[in-house]
Amino acid sequence: MATRTDNFQAVLFDLDGVLTSTAAIHAHCWKAVFDELPLVEPFDIERDYLDHVDGKPRYDGVRDFLASRGVRVSEEQVREIGDRKQRVVEKALEHDTVEAFPGSVRWVRHLRDEGVRTAVVSSSTNAGEVLRSAGIDGLFETTVSGTDIAELDLNGKPAPDGFLEAARRLDVSPHRAVVVEDALAGVTAGRAGGFGLVVGVARHAEPEALRSAGADLVVGDLAEMLP
């Protein structure tokens, strides 16, 4: 095992890119929406997705990406763009297969067998639908989704609020919990929340970038966490 989890009571997982392969769907949906705007420099999936929208609530992603292009829009326009992206994602999920990463599922099952509690923390408002589509919703005690974050008036990643809410629901202290993330914003959130261990999954972001954001440990796949 890459590191032991004996001293931890819970593991809090991001969804897209950590448990399921939906990150690519989100990236292409962001590009489809941003490409409708009259930008001098279009949205670049390889660079802009990781730097500006990955892991963040969608309205924050809109603001951050457009700010990177020097574009200022009203809050009403931010919401229009973000809601358009949500509709594009929903349509994509109707046609695209959502698959869970086998290594991730194996490690989650191992944790549950060992009595470690599990939760999902995602900026996506589609988190429940994605978990059910992938057939893994029964592996987690609670899910803090983008809808929960909005309804509870929590700050989105890179703020730690969503992870702290999940720990509260599980009645586990942050220092006794592990955060697992593939997004730089999510890793930063885990570090900011004072969690006992932050694991970065290098699916898209470079390992060194994840470490610089605050990851204690970086793996290519969560199967590396198995005994």
Side-chain angles (χ1 to χ4, degrees):
M1 186 182 241
T3 189
R4 296 189 63 80
T5 55
D6 297 4
N7 295 325
F8 298 104
Q9 298 175 326
V11 180
L12 316 178
F13 294 86
D14 176 46
L15 178 59
D16 304 322
V18 170
L19 297 171
T20 63
S21 58
T22 41
I25 294 175
H26 282 281
H28 283 89
C29 289
W30 275 119
K31 180 167 178 59
V33 170
F34 284 133
D35 280 357
E36 295 176 354
L37 304 178
L39 301 175
V40 174
E41 184 182 356
F43 183 86
D44 182 282
I45 287 180
E46 295 299 323
R47 182 183 71 254
D48 293 319
Y49 180 72
L50 294 177
D51 289 349
H52 303 299
V53 301
D54 188 23
K56 299 177 183 178
R58 64 178 182 273
Y59 297 144
D60 290 347
V62 173
R63 294 187 194 96
D64 291 353
F65 170 68
L66 292 182
S68 77
R69 295 296 192 267
V71 176
R72 298 184 65 179
V73 296
S74 67
E75 279 302 299
E76 181 180 358
Q77 289 172 304
V78 166
R79 291 184 176 276
E80 288 176 354
I81 296 168
D83 292 345
R84 193 181 314 140
K85 186 264 182 178
Q86 173 66 11
R87 292 191 294 271
V88 173
V89 169
E90 290 173 356
K91 185 174 182 179
L93 289 174
E94 292 176 0
H95 303 287
D96 293 333
T97 300
V98 176
E99 296 182 354
F101 293 109
S104 298
V105 175
R106 288 168 57 203
W107 189 45
V108 174
R109 293 188 186 281
H110 169 75
L111 291 170
R112 291 177 62 87
D113 288 344
E114 294 294 312
V116 179
R117 307 185 73 178
T118 55
V120 172
V121 178
S122 173
S123 297
S124 174
T125 58
N126 305 297
E129 177 185 353
V130 170
L131 287 167
R132 287 188 293 273
S133 180
I136 58 173
D137 52 309
L139 295 178
F140 305 95
E141 294 181 52
T142 189
T143 298
V144 178
S145 71
T147 301
D148 295 313
I149 291 171
E151 290 179 349
L152 295 172
D153 197 25
L154 303 178
N155 293 310
K157 303 171 188 177
D161 299 24
F163 288 115
L164 292 172
E165 172 64 15
R168 185 194 67 77
R169 292 183 186 184
L170 296 178
D171 195 24
V172 173
S173 298
H175 73 277
R176 298 296 304 278
V178 179
V179 165
V180 185
E181 268 281 358
D182 73 315
L184 300 180
V187 169
T188 299
R191 175 56 55 229
F195 289 90
L197 182 72
V198 180
V199 178
V201 185
R203 301 215 192 269
H204 304 287
E206 292 295 324
E208 191 52 44
L210 291 166
R211 294 188 186 95
S212 295
D216 300 298
L217 172 72
V218 177
V219 296
D221 187 274
L222 289 178
E224 296 173 41
M225 301 294 290
L226 288 161

